[in-house]
mmCIF file of all heavy atoms in Angstrom:
data_model
loop_
_atom_site.group_PDB
_atom_site.id
_atom_site.type_symbol
_atom_site.label_atom_id
_atom_site.label_comp_id
_atom_site.label_asym_id
_atom_site.label_seq_id
_atom_site.Cartn_x
_atom_site.Cartn_y
_atom_site.Cartn_z
ATOM 1 N N GLY D 118 -41.186 -46.262 51.734
ATOM 2 C CA GLY D 118 -40.554 -46.807 50.566
ATOM 3 C C GLY D 118 -41.260 -46.507 49.212
ATOM 4 O O GLY D 118 -41.054 -47.186 48.270
ATOM 5 N N ARG D 119 -42.144 -45.535 49.184
ATOM 6 C CA ARG D 119 -42.936 -45.202 47.974
ATOM 7 C C ARG D 119 -42.214 -44.282 46.992
ATOM 8 O O ARG D 119 -42.698 -44.129 45.867
ATOM 9 C CB ARG D 119 -44.343 -44.706 48.364
ATOM 10 C CG ARG D 119 -45.210 -45.783 49.009
ATOM 11 C CD ARG D 119 -46.538 -45.285 49.441
ATOM 12 N NE ARG D 119 -47.329 -44.561 48.470
ATOM 13 C CZ ARG D 119 -48.549 -44.107 48.648
ATOM 14 N NH1 ARG D 119 -49.159 -44.356 49.777
ATOM 15 N NH2 ARG D 119 -49.201 -43.439 47.617
ATOM 16 N N ASN D 120 -41.085 -43.674 47.434
ATOM 17 C CA ASN D 120 -40.304 -42.859 46.589
ATOM 18 C C ASN D 120 -41.097 -41.739 45.857
ATOM 19 O O ASN D 120 -40.902 -41.442 44.710
ATOM 20 C CB ASN D 120 -39.680 -43.737 45.483
ATOM 21 C CG ASN D 120 -38.766 -44.816 46.086
ATOM 22 O OD1 ASN D 120 -37.779 -44.535 46.707
ATOM 23 N ND2 ASN D 120 -39.173 -46.031 45.906
ATOM 24 N N THR D 121 -41.997 -41.096 46.618
ATOM 25 C CA THR D 121 -42.860 -40.070 46.046
ATOM 26 C C THR D 121 -42.136 -38.702 45.897
ATOM 27 O O THR D 121 -41.075 -38.508 46.496
ATOM 28 C CB THR D 121 -44.102 -39.814 46.859
ATOM 29 O OG1 THR D 121 -43.713 -39.519 48.185
ATOM 30 C CG2 THR D 121 -44.941 -41.094 46.880
ATOM 31 N N LYS D 122 -42.674 -37.907 45.012
ATOM 32 C CA LYS D 122 -42.059 -36.575 44.743
ATOM 33 C C LYS D 122 -42.110 -35.642 45.965
ATOM 34 O O LYS D 122 -41.210 -34.825 46.224
ATOM 35 C CB LYS D 122 -42.722 -35.929 43.552
ATOM 36 C CG LYS D 122 -42.119 -34.565 43.172
ATOM 37 C CD LYS D 122 -42.798 -33.998 41.929
ATOM 38 C CE LYS D 122 -42.229 -32.638 41.551
ATOM 39 N NZ LYS D 122 -42.882 -32.067 40.352
ATOM 40 N N LEU D 123 -43.203 -35.759 46.731
ATOM 41 C CA LEU D 123 -43.433 -34.846 47.818
ATOM 42 C C LEU D 123 -43.315 -35.536 49.220
ATOM 43 O O LEU D 123 -43.524 -36.740 49.311
ATOM 44 C CB LEU D 123 -44.834 -34.186 47.741
ATOM 45 C CG LEU D 123 -45.175 -33.440 46.481
ATOM 46 C CD1 LEU D 123 -46.596 -32.944 46.529
ATOM 47 C CD2 LEU D 123 -44.207 -32.293 46.265
ATOM 48 N N LEU D 124 -42.954 -34.729 50.194
ATOM 49 C CA LEU D 124 -43.035 -35.207 51.544
ATOM 50 C C LEU D 124 -44.297 -34.649 52.237
ATOM 51 O O LEU D 124 -44.525 -33.429 52.267
ATOM 52 C CB LEU D 124 -41.798 -34.662 52.351
ATOM 53 C CG LEU D 124 -40.437 -35.167 51.889
ATOM 54 C CD1 LEU D 124 -39.333 -34.407 52.682
ATOM 55 C CD2 LEU D 124 -40.315 -36.649 52.112
ATOM 56 N N PRO D 125 -45.204 -35.528 52.650
ATOM 57 C CA PRO D 125 -46.433 -35.096 53.227
ATOM 58 C C PRO D 125 -46.314 -34.104 54.362
ATOM 59 O O PRO D 125 -45.301 -34.208 55.160
ATOM 60 C CB PRO D 125 -47.117 -36.380 53.640
ATOM 61 C CG PRO D 125 -46.530 -37.458 52.864
ATOM 62 C CD PRO D 125 -45.077 -37.036 52.638
ATOM 63 N N SER D 126 -47.155 -33.165 54.489
ATOM 64 C CA SER D 126 -47.080 -32.134 55.535
ATOM 65 C C SER D 126 -47.352 -32.769 56.892
ATOM 66 O O SER D 126 -47.986 -33.797 57.074
ATOM 67 C CB SER D 126 -48.203 -31.079 55.270
ATOM 68 O OG SER D 126 -48.049 -30.450 54.028
ATOM 69 N N GLN D 127 -46.772 -32.049 57.941
ATOM 70 C CA GLN D 127 -47.070 -32.414 59.297
ATOM 71 C C GLN D 127 -48.483 -32.049 59.668
ATOM 72 O O GLN D 127 -49.129 -31.209 59.000
ATOM 73 C CB GLN D 127 -46.054 -31.740 60.213
ATOM 74 C CG GLN D 127 -44.649 -32.206 60.045
ATOM 75 C CD GLN D 127 -43.711 -31.593 61.101
ATOM 76 O OE1 GLN D 127 -43.954 -30.515 61.604
ATOM 77 N NE2 GLN D 127 -42.584 -32.237 61.366
ATOM 78 N N TYR D 128 -49.058 -32.696 60.670
ATOM 79 C CA TYR D 128 -50.399 -32.435 61.140
ATOM 80 C C TYR D 128 -50.509 -32.562 62.601
ATOM 81 O O TYR D 128 -49.626 -33.130 63.310
ATOM 82 C CB TYR D 128 -51.380 -33.427 60.439
ATOM 83 C CG TYR D 128 -51.026 -34.834 60.721
ATOM 84 C CD1 TYR D 128 -51.578 -35.522 61.842
ATOM 85 C CD2 TYR D 128 -50.214 -35.622 59.855
ATOM 86 C CE1 TYR D 128 -51.229 -36.824 62.119
ATOM 87 C CE2 TYR D 128 -49.903 -36.944 60.188
ATOM 88 C CZ TYR D 128 -50.446 -37.524 61.265
ATOM 89 O OH TYR D 128 -50.113 -38.835 61.559
ATOM 90 N N VAL D 129 -51.560 -31.990 63.160
ATOM 91 C CA VAL D 129 -51.873 -32.113 64.608
ATOM 92 C C VAL D 129 -52.248 -33.539 64.933
ATOM 93 O O VAL D 129 -53.029 -34.182 64.211
ATOM 94 C CB VAL D 129 -52.984 -31.118 65.026
ATOM 95 C CG1 VAL D 129 -53.329 -31.304 66.478
ATOM 96 C CG2 VAL D 129 -52.546 -29.673 64.712
ATOM 97 N N ASN D 130 -51.708 -34.096 66.035
ATOM 98 C CA ASN D 130 -51.959 -35.515 66.305
ATOM 99 C C ASN D 130 -53.025 -35.838 67.375
ATOM 100 O O ASN D 130 -53.117 -36.971 67.840
ATOM 101 C CB ASN D 130 -50.615 -36.231 66.701
ATOM 102 C CG ASN D 130 -50.106 -35.693 67.968
ATOM 103 O OD1 ASN D 130 -50.633 -34.821 68.638
ATOM 104 N ND2 ASN D 130 -48.970 -36.314 68.502
ATOM 105 N N HIS D 131 -53.783 -34.821 67.736
ATOM 106 C CA HIS D 131 -54.959 -35.128 68.587
ATOM 107 C C HIS D 131 -55.944 -33.906 68.461
ATOM 108 O O HIS D 131 -55.557 -32.856 68.032
ATOM 109 C CB HIS D 131 -54.566 -35.365 70.061
ATOM 110 C CG HIS D 131 -53.966 -34.162 70.672
ATOM 111 N ND1 HIS D 131 -54.674 -33.084 71.232
ATOM 112 C CD2 HIS D 131 -52.633 -33.820 70.886
ATOM 113 C CE1 HIS D 131 -53.855 -32.165 71.759
ATOM 114 N NE2 HIS D 131 -52.590 -32.586 71.542
ATOM 115 N N LEU D 132 -57.139 -34.130 68.884
ATOM 116 C CA LEU D 132 -58.182 -33.112 68.791
ATOM 117 C C LEU D 132 -57.754 -31.944 69.707
ATOM 118 O O LEU D 132 -57.544 -32.121 70.902
ATOM 119 C CB LEU D 132 -59.535 -33.629 69.253
ATOM 120 C CG LEU D 132 -60.746 -32.757 69.004
ATOM 121 C CD1 LEU D 132 -60.890 -32.466 67.533
ATOM 122 C CD2 LEU D 132 -61.924 -33.412 69.590
ATOM 123 N N PRO D 133 -57.539 -30.750 69.203
ATOM 124 C CA PRO D 133 -57.028 -29.669 69.996
ATOM 125 C C PRO D 133 -57.981 -29.285 71.156
ATOM 126 O O PRO D 133 -59.181 -29.196 70.960
ATOM 127 C CB PRO D 133 -56.938 -28.510 68.981
ATOM 128 C CG PRO D 133 -56.848 -29.094 67.640
ATOM 129 C CD PRO D 133 -57.698 -30.320 67.776
ATOM 130 N N PHE D 134 -57.430 -29.018 72.306
ATOM 131 C CA PHE D 134 -58.251 -28.761 73.488
ATOM 132 C C PHE D 134 -58.912 -27.383 73.380
ATOM 133 O O PHE D 134 -59.901 -27.153 74.029
ATOM 134 C CB PHE D 134 -57.372 -28.855 74.783
ATOM 135 C CG PHE D 134 -56.802 -30.191 74.970
ATOM 136 C CD1 PHE D 134 -55.399 -30.382 74.892
ATOM 137 C CD2 PHE D 134 -57.572 -31.244 75.204
ATOM 138 C CE1 PHE D 134 -54.904 -31.631 75.035
ATOM 139 C CE2 PHE D 134 -57.055 -32.535 75.350
ATOM 140 C CZ PHE D 134 -55.741 -32.732 75.250
ATOM 141 N N GLU D 135 -58.289 -26.479 72.626
ATOM 142 C CA GLU D 135 -58.880 -25.115 72.489
ATOM 143 C C GLU D 135 -60.117 -25.162 71.634
ATOM 144 O O GLU D 135 -60.909 -24.135 71.599
ATOM 145 C CB GLU D 135 -57.869 -24.123 71.980
ATOM 146 C CG GLU D 135 -57.378 -24.411 70.549
ATOM 147 C CD GLU D 135 -56.070 -25.285 70.541
ATOM 148 O OE1 GLU D 135 -55.852 -25.993 71.575
ATOM 149 O OE2 GLU D 135 -55.396 -25.218 69.550
ATOM 150 N N MET D 136 -60.373 -26.237 70.904
ATOM 151 C CA MET D 136 -61.552 -26.346 70.076
ATOM 152 C C MET D 136 -62.736 -26.741 70.904
ATOM 153 O O MET D 136 -62.709 -27.704 71.652
ATOM 154 C CB MET D 136 -61.309 -27.375 68.964
ATOM 155 C CG MET D 136 -60.319 -26.978 67.901
ATOM 156 S SD MET D 136 -61.020 -25.782 66.811
ATOM 157 C CE MET D 136 -59.577 -25.305 65.832
ATOM 158 N N THR D 137 -63.841 -25.993 70.763
ATOM 159 C CA THR D 137 -65.073 -26.415 71.435
ATOM 160 C C THR D 137 -65.790 -27.535 70.612
ATOM 161 O O THR D 137 -65.956 -27.342 69.365
ATOM 162 C CB THR D 137 -66.010 -25.184 71.524
ATOM 163 O OG1 THR D 137 -65.371 -24.206 72.376
ATOM 164 C CG2 THR D 137 -67.381 -25.544 72.142
ATOM 165 N N THR D 138 -66.176 -28.558 71.284
ATOM 166 C CA THR D 138 -66.827 -29.657 70.529
ATOM 167 C C THR D 138 -68.326 -29.603 70.802
ATOM 168 O O THR D 138 -68.835 -28.999 71.719
ATOM 169 C CB THR D 138 -66.294 -31.018 71.040
ATOM 170 O OG1 THR D 138 -66.668 -31.277 72.382
ATOM 171 C CG2 THR D 138 -64.759 -31.112 70.859
ATOM 172 N N LEU D 139 -69.006 -30.301 69.846
ATOM 173 C CA LEU D 139 -70.515 -30.338 69.967
ATOM 174 C C LEU D 139 -70.935 -30.953 71.331
ATOM 175 O O LEU D 139 -71.847 -30.389 71.983
ATOM 176 C CB LEU D 139 -71.043 -31.168 68.806
ATOM 177 C CG LEU D 139 -72.501 -31.107 68.494
ATOM 178 C CD1 LEU D 139 -73.004 -29.666 68.218
ATOM 179 C CD2 LEU D 139 -72.797 -31.936 67.184
ATOM 180 N N PRO D 140 -70.373 -32.094 71.774
ATOM 181 C CA PRO D 140 -70.822 -32.543 73.030
ATOM 182 C C PRO D 140 -70.546 -31.665 74.241
ATOM 183 O O PRO D 140 -71.303 -31.706 75.227
ATOM 184 C CB PRO D 140 -70.042 -33.936 73.183
ATOM 185 C CG PRO D 140 -68.931 -33.856 72.234
ATOM 186 C CD PRO D 140 -69.425 -32.962 71.117
ATOM 187 N N GLU D 141 -69.479 -30.874 74.150
ATOM 188 C CA GLU D 141 -69.185 -29.917 75.223
ATOM 189 C C GLU D 141 -70.285 -28.870 75.344
ATOM 190 O O GLU D 141 -70.722 -28.472 76.403
ATOM 191 C CB GLU D 141 -67.864 -29.200 74.951
ATOM 192 C CG GLU D 141 -66.653 -30.082 75.257
ATOM 193 C CD GLU D 141 -65.335 -29.394 74.945
ATOM 194 O OE1 GLU D 141 -65.306 -28.506 74.024
ATOM 195 O OE2 GLU D 141 -64.340 -29.696 75.594
ATOM 196 N N VAL D 142 -70.791 -28.397 74.155
ATOM 197 C CA VAL D 142 -71.901 -27.479 74.212
ATOM 198 C C VAL D 142 -73.156 -28.112 74.847
ATOM 199 O O VAL D 142 -73.778 -27.494 75.718
ATOM 200 C CB VAL D 142 -72.224 -26.981 72.785
ATOM 201 C CG1 VAL D 142 -73.403 -25.997 72.872
ATOM 202 C CG2 VAL D 142 -71.037 -26.303 72.128
ATOM 203 N N PHE D 143 -73.503 -29.284 74.430
ATOM 204 C CA PHE D 143 -74.669 -29.949 75.032
ATOM 205 C C PHE D 143 -74.464 -30.292 76.485
ATOM 206 O O PHE D 143 -75.382 -30.137 77.299
ATOM 207 C CB PHE D 143 -75.018 -31.226 74.208
ATOM 208 C CG PHE D 143 -75.742 -30.964 72.923
ATOM 209 C CD1 PHE D 143 -75.125 -31.270 71.713
ATOM 210 C CD2 PHE D 143 -76.961 -30.364 72.903
ATOM 211 C CE1 PHE D 143 -75.753 -31.023 70.483
ATOM 212 C CE2 PHE D 143 -77.615 -30.117 71.720
ATOM 213 C CZ PHE D 143 -77.032 -30.376 70.507
ATOM 214 N N GLN D 144 -73.299 -30.719 76.788
ATOM 215 C CA GLN D 144 -72.964 -31.063 78.159
ATOM 216 C C GLN D 144 -73.121 -29.843 79.057
ATOM 217 O O GLN D 144 -73.585 -29.911 80.199
ATOM 218 C CB GLN D 144 -71.544 -31.584 78.297
ATOM 219 C CG GLN D 144 -71.108 -32.163 79.604
ATOM 220 C CD GLN D 144 -69.664 -32.590 79.596
ATOM 221 O OE1 GLN D 144 -68.729 -31.809 79.318
ATOM 222 N NE2 GLN D 144 -69.398 -33.875 79.948
ATOM 223 N N SER D 145 -72.710 -28.629 78.566
ATOM 224 C CA SER D 145 -72.763 -27.415 79.381
ATOM 225 C C SER D 145 -74.140 -26.955 79.761
ATOM 226 O O SER D 145 -74.329 -26.170 80.702
ATOM 227 C CB SER D 145 -72.057 -26.287 78.637
ATOM 228 O OG SER D 145 -72.776 -25.848 77.475
ATOM 229 N N ILE D 146 -75.197 -27.445 79.025
ATOM 230 C CA ILE D 146 -76.543 -27.066 79.410
ATOM 231 C C ILE D 146 -77.359 -28.267 79.926
ATOM 232 O O ILE D 146 -78.588 -28.260 79.983
ATOM 233 C CB ILE D 146 -77.309 -26.513 78.164
ATOM 234 C CG1 ILE D 146 -77.372 -27.489 77.002
ATOM 235 C CG2 ILE D 146 -76.655 -25.230 77.692
ATOM 236 C CD1 ILE D 146 -78.387 -27.188 75.902
ATOM 237 N N GLY D 147 -76.646 -29.324 80.384
ATOM 238 C CA GLY D 147 -77.251 -30.409 81.147
ATOM 239 C C GLY D 147 -77.646 -31.607 80.365
ATOM 240 O O GLY D 147 -78.196 -32.542 80.963
ATOM 241 N N TYR D 148 -77.289 -31.685 79.077
ATOM 242 C CA TYR D 148 -77.478 -32.920 78.399
ATOM 243 C C TYR D 148 -76.509 -34.038 78.901
ATOM 244 O O TYR D 148 -75.372 -33.737 79.254
ATOM 245 C CB TYR D 148 -77.177 -32.781 76.886
ATOM 246 C CG TYR D 148 -78.310 -32.235 76.018
ATOM 247 C CD1 TYR D 148 -78.789 -31.005 76.164
ATOM 248 C CD2 TYR D 148 -78.894 -33.175 75.070
ATOM 249 C CE1 TYR D 148 -79.830 -30.585 75.314
ATOM 250 C CE2 TYR D 148 -79.947 -32.669 74.270
ATOM 251 C CZ TYR D 148 -80.421 -31.399 74.410
ATOM 252 O OH TYR D 148 -81.433 -31.004 73.589
ATOM 253 N N LYS D 149 -77.026 -35.239 78.972
ATOM 254 C CA LYS D 149 -76.085 -36.377 79.182
ATOM 255 C C LYS D 149 -75.444 -36.771 77.905
ATOM 256 O O LYS D 149 -76.133 -36.948 76.876
ATOM 257 C CB LYS D 149 -76.895 -37.571 79.775
ATOM 258 C CG LYS D 149 -77.592 -37.296 81.096
ATOM 259 C CD LYS D 149 -76.568 -36.968 82.147
ATOM 260 C CE LYS D 149 -77.229 -36.797 83.535
ATOM 261 N NZ LYS D 149 -76.259 -36.466 84.590
ATOM 262 N N THR D 150 -74.120 -36.912 77.851
ATOM 263 C CA THR D 150 -73.454 -37.154 76.604
ATOM 264 C C THR D 150 -72.724 -38.458 76.646
ATOM 265 O O THR D 150 -72.138 -38.887 77.638
ATOM 266 C CB THR D 150 -72.364 -36.008 76.334
ATOM 267 O OG1 THR D 150 -71.485 -35.919 77.435
ATOM 268 C CG2 THR D 150 -73.117 -34.707 76.167
ATOM 269 N N PHE D 151 -72.732 -39.177 75.520
ATOM 270 C CA PHE D 151 -72.299 -40.589 75.455
ATOM 271 C C PHE D 151 -71.570 -40.805 74.153
ATOM 272 O O PHE D 151 -72.007 -40.341 73.077
ATOM 273 C CB PHE D 151 -73.502 -41.506 75.581
ATOM 274 C CG PHE D 151 -73.231 -42.949 75.287
ATOM 275 C CD1 PHE D 151 -72.807 -43.840 76.341
ATOM 276 C CD2 PHE D 151 -73.387 -43.481 74.025
ATOM 277 C CE1 PHE D 151 -72.546 -45.146 76.104
ATOM 278 C CE2 PHE D 151 -73.135 -44.814 73.741
ATOM 279 C CZ PHE D 151 -72.740 -45.648 74.796
ATOM 280 N N PHE D 152 -70.437 -41.595 74.213
ATOM 281 C CA PHE D 152 -69.693 -41.954 73.036
ATOM 282 C C PHE D 152 -69.487 -43.427 72.989
ATOM 283 O O PHE D 152 -69.162 -44.039 74.020
ATOM 284 C CB PHE D 152 -68.328 -41.210 73.014
ATOM 285 C CG PHE D 152 -67.546 -41.557 71.809
ATOM 286 C CD1 PHE D 152 -67.593 -40.739 70.659
ATOM 287 C CD2 PHE D 152 -66.709 -42.664 71.744
ATOM 288 C CE1 PHE D 152 -66.856 -41.003 69.546
ATOM 289 C CE2 PHE D 152 -65.989 -42.995 70.575
ATOM 290 C CZ PHE D 152 -66.053 -42.119 69.501
ATOM 291 N N ALA D 153 -69.674 -44.016 71.865
ATOM 292 C CA ALA D 153 -69.424 -45.462 71.684
ATOM 293 C C ALA D 153 -68.764 -45.658 70.327
ATOM 294 O O ALA D 153 -69.182 -45.177 69.298
ATOM 295 C CB ALA D 153 -70.657 -46.300 71.692
ATOM 296 N N GLY D 154 -67.591 -46.408 70.333
ATOM 297 C CA GLY D 154 -66.973 -46.836 69.107
ATOM 298 C C GLY D 154 -65.652 -46.188 68.825
ATOM 299 O O GLY D 154 -64.790 -45.983 69.707
ATOM 300 N N LYS D 155 -65.477 -45.895 67.498
ATOM 301 C CA LYS D 155 -64.174 -45.455 66.996
ATOM 302 C C LYS D 155 -63.988 -44.021 67.403
ATOM 303 O O LYS D 155 -64.809 -43.124 67.089
ATOM 304 C CB LYS D 155 -64.040 -45.623 65.503
ATOM 305 C CG LYS D 155 -62.828 -44.990 64.877
ATOM 306 C CD LYS D 155 -62.664 -45.342 63.447
ATOM 307 C CE LYS D 155 -61.533 -44.559 62.792
ATOM 308 N NZ LYS D 155 -61.231 -44.995 61.374
ATOM 309 N N TRP D 156 -62.780 -43.663 67.911
ATOM 310 C CA TRP D 156 -62.442 -42.286 68.301
ATOM 311 C C TRP D 156 -61.346 -41.764 67.318
ATOM 312 O O TRP D 156 -61.616 -40.952 66.470
ATOM 313 C CB TRP D 156 -61.933 -42.221 69.721
ATOM 314 C CG TRP D 156 -61.450 -40.846 70.210
ATOM 315 C CD1 TRP D 156 -60.227 -40.574 70.626
ATOM 316 C CD2 TRP D 156 -62.213 -39.698 70.378
ATOM 317 N NE1 TRP D 156 -60.163 -39.277 71.069
ATOM 318 C CE2 TRP D 156 -61.388 -38.735 70.869
ATOM 319 C CE3 TRP D 156 -63.586 -39.341 70.090
ATOM 320 C CZ2 TRP D 156 -61.828 -37.408 71.177
ATOM 321 C CZ3 TRP D 156 -64.017 -38.102 70.328
ATOM 322 C CH2 TRP D 156 -63.132 -37.115 70.844
ATOM 323 N N HIS D 157 -60.110 -42.257 67.440
ATOM 324 C CA HIS D 157 -58.981 -41.996 66.545
ATOM 325 C C HIS D 157 -58.730 -40.465 66.468
ATOM 326 O O HIS D 157 -58.318 -39.971 65.416
ATOM 327 C CB HIS D 157 -59.319 -42.557 65.143
ATOM 328 C CG HIS D 157 -58.051 -42.858 64.433
ATOM 329 N ND1 HIS D 157 -58.048 -43.324 63.050
ATOM 330 C CD2 HIS D 157 -56.753 -42.809 64.700
ATOM 331 C CE1 HIS D 157 -56.821 -43.513 62.664
ATOM 332 N NE2 HIS D 157 -55.999 -43.212 63.679
#
Side-chain angles (χ1 to χ4, degrees):
R119 288 176 55 175
N120 301 295
T121 57
K122 181 178 180 179
L123 303 179
L124 295 174
S126 302
Q127 294 184 336
Y128 58 87
V129 175
N130 68 354
H131 63 82
L132 191 61
F134 300 114
E135 63 270 22
M136 291 284 171
T137 297
T138 67
L139 195 55
E141 283 177 333
V142 179
F143 283 116
Q144 189 184 56
S145 71
I146 60 165
Y148 272 70
K149 298 296 182 182
T150 57
F151 170 87
F152 182 92
K155 174 173 173 173
W156 178 242
H157 208 183

